[in-house]
Each structure stands twice: as structure tokens, then as C-alpha cells.
């Protein structure tokens, strides 16, 4: 093996997201409004791991508050799926993390790295397989204390090669 390698995957903008404010970074904003919380407001990722992957060591959601909200919680869940070239889009492995609160670790819009590796434990990885993840913020939940938008930078995936 060749040790650990860090990969980074930006999110795909979907309904009820806004891109920016730095478009070249590919960030999206997730609102906390009650209306948006009631809708199907997901952020999505799709990626293929390199051909030399041996295992996934960790997966972190990289995000920040849009304002000075240190030690505030964002409430979200994730769903993960994996398919290979011979499976339908519903035919692969799946895993998830139920809705939970994750605390921002820095002030003034600094990055937070929330460990969401548990949502990927039930996935078998092999060459040529596509991994997809959806993340939904529950901004109106009592556990979500950010009281504003959050900025989603992407997924940091550490693999062993």
C-alpha cells in the first residue's frame, strides 16, 4: 500500500441552495428557514474513488456558519449509496446517519470538519463503483442553533491506497 490520500469533493447545488459567495470554491448555502426545512432540500455528491483504493479511513463534511456563530449546532442527516456498473441505481449498498446535531468548531465563518464516517461503514468499495451521498439540513429543528445560513464546502475523504 501507499499510505493515506486525501480527496475533496465539492457539493452539487440543488433546489433551495445558493452558490457562493465565492463561486470558484463551489460552496453552497443551506438556509434555516421553516419553509425550506419543510421541503425536500438536499445537497448531493457523486464520486468515484481511484482505482488504487484499499479502504476509506474517514469522511468529513466541511462546513461553516455564515456569521459569528461559534459552538452552534447544525442538525442534518445523510444517506449514502454505492453502485457498480452492473447494478441499477437502487441496487447497491446503502448506509445512513439519522438526524443529529453537529457543533461548529470555529468563529467568524471558519471551517468545521464533522466526522460522518459512520454513514459510510456499510458501503463496500471497489474499482469503478460510484458513491453518492445526500445531506439534508433540518434548520427549524430545536437542535439546530445556528440561526442563520451555513456554507457547505464539500466532503473530505481520506483513503488508504
Amino acid at each position: 500500500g501507499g499510505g493515506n490520500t486525501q480527496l475533496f469533493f465539492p457539493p452539487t447545488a440543488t433546489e433551495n441552495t445558493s452558490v457562493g459567495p465565492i463561486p470558484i470554491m463551489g460552496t453552497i448555502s443551506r438556509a434555516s428557514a421553516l419553509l425550506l426545512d419543510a421541503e425536500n432540500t438536499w445537497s448531493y455528491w457523486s464520486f468515484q474513488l481511484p482505482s488504487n483504493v484499499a479502504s476509506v479511513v474517514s469522511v468529513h463534511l466541511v462546513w461553516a456558519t455564515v456569521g459569528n456563530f461559534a459552538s452552534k449546532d447544525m442538525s442534518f442527516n445523510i444517506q449514502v449509496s454505492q453502485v457498480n456498473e452492473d447494478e441499477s441505481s437502487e441496487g447497491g449498498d446503502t448506509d445512513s446517519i439519522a438526524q443529529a446535531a453537529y457543533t461548529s468548531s470555529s468563529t467568524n465563518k471558519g471551517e468545521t470538519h464533522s466526522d460522518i464516517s459512520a454513514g459510510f461503514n456499510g458501503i463496500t468499495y471497489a474499482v469503478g463503483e460510484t458513491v453518492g451521498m445526500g445531506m439534508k439540513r433540518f434548520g427549524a429543528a430545536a437542535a439546530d442553533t445556528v440561526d442563520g445560513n451555513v456554507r457547505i464546502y464539500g466532503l473530505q475523504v481520506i483513503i488508504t491506497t
Side-chain angles (χ1 to χ4, degrees):
N4 289 345
T5 301
Q6 176 180 302
L7 307 171
F8 190 82
F9 302 101
T12 302
T14 60
E15 73 281 352
N16 298 316
T17 62
S18 59
V19 177
I22 310 167
I24 59 170
M25 289 189 66
T27 62
I28 61 171
S29 290
R30 305 300 300 146
S32 64
L34 289 170
L35 174 63
L36 293 182
D37 190 59
E39 296 177 1
N40 188 24
T41 55
W42 290 83
S43 300
Y44 296 104
W45 288 261
S46 281
F47 54 90
Q48 288 188 335
L49 296 173
S51 59
N52 61 343
V53 65
S55 67
V56 173
V57 176
S58 66
V59 181
H60 289 146
L61 179 71
V62 182
W63 62 283
T65 59
V66 182
N68 194 9
F69 297 109
S71 300
K72 296 288 186 170
D73 295 332
M74 175 175 60
S75 182
F76 64 89
N77 73 345
I78 66 166
Q79 295 182 357
V80 182
S81 62
Q82 161 277 325
V83 294
N84 65 37
E85 58 195 26
D86 298 324
E87 295 172 321
S88 72
S89 60
E90 295 87 24
D93 298 334
T94 61
D95 206 343
S96 63
I97 295 178
Q99 180 183 344
Y102 296 82
T103 303
S104 62
S105 60
S106 55
T107 61
N108 199 20
K109 305 176 186 176
E111 285 184 8
T112 295
H113 292 241
S114 295
D115 189 346
I116 57 171
S117 303
F120 290 76
N121 289 342
I123 305 297
T124 303
Y125 303 96
V127 175
E129 294 182 335
T130 300
V131 179
M133 188 192 99
M135 170 254 176
K136 181 179 181 184
R137 179 180 181 197
F138 293 88
D144 190 306
T145 59
V146 172
D147 193 29
N149 289 352
V150 295
R151 190 164 293 131
I152 308 297
Y153 291 103
L155 293 179
Q156 178 191 55
V157 181
I158 306 295
I159 61 170
T160 299
T161 55

